[in-house]
Amino acid sequence: MDTNTWILVLVVAAVLTVALGAAVVLLVRLVRTRRDLRRAGLPTGPRWVFWGAVAYVVLPTDLMPDPAYFDDIGVLLLALRSMRASSDPLR
């Protein structure tokens, strides 16, 4: 393989690593948000939102099969948004 191919392989590996890192960070944030809301005595929203997002990230099947974790990141962001919206005291 020539130099350009190796550069391409390294760039793709870096993008996949960053996407996986973002998914892990969001998963940790989701778990911490749920724990903090429960400690404060606030509602955390429907349980299926939390457990569904966790299962979607952990299980090997995806709705959109791709090498990156972009759909997983989207599911985690939607779950975080749903949990925070359900705990909003103004609603």
Side-chain angles (χ1 to χ4, degrees):
M1 291 203 295
D2 62 343
T3 307
N4 290 336
T5 306
W6 280 109
I7 291 173
L8 179 64
V9 168
L10 289 175
V11 168
V12 169
V15 168
L16 292 177
T17 303
V18 168
L20 176 62
V24 168
V25 166
L26 286 172
L27 180 61
V28 168
R29 208 168 154 194
L30 178 70
V31 171
R32 284 183 182 168
T33 299
R34 183 170 187 263
R35 186 185 62 212
D36 291 342
L37 289 173
R38 289 179 61 94
R39 281 185 186 164
L42 295 172
T44 58
R47 283 188 184 174
W48 66 268
V49 171
F50 173 77
W51 291 112
V54 170
Y56 188 80
V57 171
V58 173
L59 293 176
T61 57
D62 279 339
L63 293 176
M64 278 181 15
D66 57 349
Y69 295 92
F70 299 124
D71 55 334
D72 297 338
I73 292 170
V75 167
L76 289 170
L77 286 172
L78 287 173
L80 269 171
R81 183 177 179 190
S82 172
M83 287 177 63
R84 290 196 180 190
S86 70
S87 68
D88 187 13
L90 297 177
R91 286 190 163 197

